[in-house]
């Protein structure tokens, strides 16, 4: 086994280390979500935490890590006899993003269960993580069906495997730690709320600190055991401090004043539900125990808010995480010192005059780490060049000839469902029909490989004619491997939604472009909710540009859209051809994911020789490959040329106006899109 990098050797990242240590002190805090750019020691710190955790006492031979003092009565390996337990290091179980459902929850041998009546169960990762740490790297890329299973286990503290009336249940209580790069997409709100704390990490810009990071990493890579030995003393000190804080934790007093501050803070930031209040209370209590105190102070409540609330106050995926620290301080000051306890009132006055001599998260002096800088403000937005009412750049904006400053997007709205015709076999999602592992049963087939979803009726029908030949004498059914039938299920898949946006001068009227951006932003929000990949191609001037290659991050697409300038001619053909190139590459990378091209334009084509004919030729190229397309018609005014509708015809897709895109409009958009697919098939 390789020597892990020491936890105390991690340079900087105070908030990350503190959040992990608080969960080591009190696992009831609920885990940690670590957000940040790649190469910031996220995975290193998480893996190093396991070495600091106290050992776990388990029933010898139990595959489900039962506690000898209180074994699980429904443990598949039970019942357990009363005997001394065995001690082992805390388990760190890693859940790969591409894991199967059976790998996560365990596999039940359906063939033996039917033929022999035996519950032959192979435990999964949830069983291995019980009373330990379940670590998910790139948790935001986890498939939806695995997220559902994680949510169930986290909510109930148990894992259930049920197939055709045969069920197995075992305890599954674990510390959930996830890491993610926000550029690759966001988490579902339900799973996001299950993480007790969240921290944002980024690489230091200080040369001295970066030098120290490189120096330590090179030393570790050259001689891991020797490097770990040099940090053994610090590791032992932190491990001892965790054990001391655990022993002190039941004695920590959470006074009425601190509770009032917690409730007021959660109310001030309008977080949903009551989980935030509970997590803040547990975090503040753990902070006090970590500092060696038996009273929760205002500084503990403040630090708990900075760790527990940022990911709970987001209203939609485009909101930046973080808290307004001035508002937080104002709330704490307003509701501080109201429990009548003189000592606590004095200590709770968070005016920065405390002695600050509590030990830091790594065991050294200096107190708890100061909270990091808040999220960047809107200064860059305020500094953007603005255009006058006629849509022309003001002097000194640097917009260039024919280019206008970016228009702000209008408020997003709920859109109609755009779907790809036919039935696909792509990754599970919420957009188009597909054959999936989850969903309604539509038929049966012979299993290809291991049986996962038994079709009971079809299996019985296959086995019934052979019972006499097989010598059946009792009431049970004699089932053989050839009789088993796999259920064929239909659900929904996610798609690649590629936006092709006209940013030319004909689209540049301020109110018009604002409405267009609002429509695209609405479609991006819909793509986020349906777990799609998105890409963004724009065309203006003399060429088209891939502003955002296909990604799972709708945040990145929204940011690119917000800063999108407009102006120049309309190279519609170039935009469609660039979309064709993007789709060609994506088919090689992920052939099962079906694309949906959303062209946002008024249909005009200018610039170069025969621009209209070239645009029609490019559109027919996409149609010939069976690409599902929708044209969002942005033409406005009393006189309309209907060019967007003509483009939709060339694409063999459908056209919809901005008004018809809204979910509350009368137009039957889903029927129209599917009707276009029917015409192609004909």
């Amino acid at each position: 086994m390789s020597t892990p990098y020491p936890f105390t050797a991690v340079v900087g990242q105070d908030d990350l280390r503190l959040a992990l240590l608080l969960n080591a002190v009190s696992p009831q805090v609920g885990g940690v979500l670590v957000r940040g750019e790649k190469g910031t020691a996220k995975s290193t710190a998480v893996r190093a935490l396991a070495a600091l955790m106290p050992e776990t006492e388990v029933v010898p031979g139990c595959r489900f890590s039962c506690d000898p003092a209180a074994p699980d009565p429904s443990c598949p390996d039970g019942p357990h006899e009363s005997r001394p337990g065995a001690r082992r290091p805390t388990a760190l179980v890693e859940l790969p993003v591409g894991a199967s459902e059976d790998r996560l929850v365990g596999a039940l041998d359906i063939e033996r269960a039917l033929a022999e009546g035996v519950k032959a169960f192979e435990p999964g990762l949830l069983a291995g993580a019980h009373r330990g740490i379940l670590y998910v790297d790139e948790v935001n890329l986890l498939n939806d069906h695995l997220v559902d299973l994680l949510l169930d286990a986290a909510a109930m503290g148990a894992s259930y495997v049920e197939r055709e009336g045969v069920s197995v249940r075992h305890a599954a209580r674990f510390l959930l730690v996830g890491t993610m790069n926000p550029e690759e997409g966001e988490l579902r709100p339900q799973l996001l709320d299950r993480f007790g704390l969240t921290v944002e990490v980024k690489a230091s810009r200080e040369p001295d600190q970066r030098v120290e990071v490189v120096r330590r990493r090179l030393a570790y890579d050259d001689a891991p055991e020797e490097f770990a030995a040099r940090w053994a003393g610090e590791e032992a000190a932190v491990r001892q401090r965790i054990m001391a804080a655990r022993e002190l934790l039941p004695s920590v007093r959470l006074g009425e004043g601190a509770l009032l501050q917690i409730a007021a803070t959660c109310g001030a930031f309008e977080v949903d539900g009551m989980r935030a209040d509970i997590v803040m209370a547990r975090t503040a209590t753990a902070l006090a125990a970590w500092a060696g105190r038996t009273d929760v102070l205002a500084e503990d409540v403040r630090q708990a808010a900075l760790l527990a609330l940022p990911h709970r106050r987001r209203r939609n995926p485009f909101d930046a995480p973080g808290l307004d620290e001035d508002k937080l301080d104002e709330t704490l000051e307003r509701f501080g010192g109201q429990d009548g306890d003189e000592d606590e009132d004095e200590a709770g006055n968070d005016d920065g005059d405390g002695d600050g001599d509590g030990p830091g998260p790594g065991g050294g002096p200096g107190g708890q780490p100061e909270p990091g800088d808040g999220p960047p403000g809107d200064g860059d937005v305020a500094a953007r060049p603005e255009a006058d009412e006629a849509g022309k750049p003001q002097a000194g904006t640097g917009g260039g000839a024919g280019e206008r400053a970016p228009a702000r997007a209008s408020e997003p709205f709920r859109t109609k469902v755009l779907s790809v015709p036919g039935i696909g076999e792509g990754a599970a999602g919420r957009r188009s029909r597909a054959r999936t592992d989850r969903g309604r049963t539509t038929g049966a087939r012979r299993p290809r490989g291991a049986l996962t979803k038994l079709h009971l009726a079809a299996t019985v029908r296959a086995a019934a004619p052979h019972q006499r030949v097989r010598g059946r004498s009792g009431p049970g059914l004699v089932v053989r491997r050839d009789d088993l039938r796999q259920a064929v299920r239909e659900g929904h898949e996610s798609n690649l939604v590629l936006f092709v946006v006209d940013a030319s001068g004909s689209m540049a009227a301020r109110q018009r472009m604002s409405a267009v951006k609002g429509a695209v932003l609405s479609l991006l929000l819909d793509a986020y909710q349906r777990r799609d990949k998105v890409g963004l191609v724009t065309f203006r001037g003399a060429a088209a540009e891939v502003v955002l290659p296909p990604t799972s991050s709708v945040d990145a697409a929204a940011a690119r859209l917000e800063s999108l300038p407009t102006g120049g001619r309309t190279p519609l053909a170039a935009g469609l051809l660039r979309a064709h190139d993007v789709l060609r590459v994506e088919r090689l990378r992920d052939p099962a994911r079906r694309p949906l091209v959303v062209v946002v334009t008024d249909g005009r084509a200018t610039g170069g020789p025969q621009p209209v004919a070239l645009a029609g030729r490019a559109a027919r190229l996409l149609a010939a490959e069976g690409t599902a397309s929708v044209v969002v018609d942005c033409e406005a005014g009393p006189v309309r040329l209907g060019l967007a509708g003509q483009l939709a015809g060339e694409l063999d897709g459908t056209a919809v106006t901005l008004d018809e895109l809204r979910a509350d409009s009368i137009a039957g958009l889903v029927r129209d899109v599917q009707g276009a697919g029917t015409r192609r098939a004909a």
Side-chain angles (χ1 to χ4, degrees), residues 264-490:
T265 301
C266 292
F269 286 99
E270 300 179 349
V271 296
D272 295 330
M274 294 299 297
R275 183 173 284 117
D277 304 62
I278 297 170
V279 171
M280 270 191 68
R282 289 171 173 165
T283 304
T285 303
L287 280 162
W290 178 247
R293 290 185 268 101
T294 55
D295 284 314
V296 173
L297 308 183
E299 64 193 66
D300 301 322
V301 176
R302 186 182 193 279
Q303 184 67 60
L306 292 172
L307 294 173
L309 296 188
H311 61 302
R312 292 187 165 89
R313 57 161 293 276
R314 303 182 73 185
R315 287 344 234 192
N316 65 64
F318 307 132
D319 289 339
L323 292 181
D324 182 341
E325 295 193 31
D326 291 337
K327 181 178 180 180
L328 173 60
D329 291 335
E330 179 184 344
T331 303
L332 293 176
E333 182 178 356
R334 179 183 174 190
F335 291 92
Q338 297 186 22
D339 64 347
D341 189 321
E342 212 169 89
D343 293 336
E344 187 170 318
D345 289 349
E346 182 179 349
N349 184 14
D350 190 21
D351 58 4
D353 294 333
D355 54 15
D357 58 357
Q368 297 171 9
E370 291 297 324
D373 293 335
D378 293 331
D380 55 335
V381 175
R384 288 176 183 154
E386 293 295 332
D388 60 19
E389 292 182 5
K392 299 179 181 179
Q394 296 177 353
T397 60
E403 181 175 307
R404 293 168 173 81
R408 291 184 179 274
S410 62
E411 286 296 317
F413 52 85
R414 190 166 65 89
T415 67
K416 286 187 176 294
V417 180
L418 304 175
S419 62
V420 179
I423 301 179
E425 294 183 347
R430 296 186 180 88
R431 184 171 297 278
S432 304
R433 295 172 58 202
R435 295 184 181 90
T436 61
D437 292 335
R438 303 168 72 86
R440 64 186 183 90
T441 301
T442 59
R445 60 171 173 80
R446 292 182 182 273
R448 301 166 187 165
L451 177 70
T452 55
K453 300 292 182 181
L454 178 73
H455 194 297
L456 184 58
T459 298
V460 171
R461 285 197 300 268
H466 309 292
Q467 296 305 296
R468 180 175 297 178
V469 176
R470 293 174 183 174
R472 171 186 169 188
S473 57
L477 194 68
V478 180
V479 179
R480 294 181 179 173
R481 174 69 185 177
D482 291 342
D483 302 326
L484 299 177
R485 295 294 182 269
Q486 177 87 22
V488 176
R489 300 189 176 188
E490 182 179 307

Side-chain angles (χ1 to χ4, degrees), residues 585-608:
V585 174
E586 285 302 306
R587 285 192 183 98
L588 296 175
R589 292 177 176 171
D590 189 358
R593 189 183 293 270
R594 297 188 296 163
L596 174 65
V597 175
V598 179
V599 185
V600 185
T601 181
D602 57 9
R604 290 181 173 86
T606 60

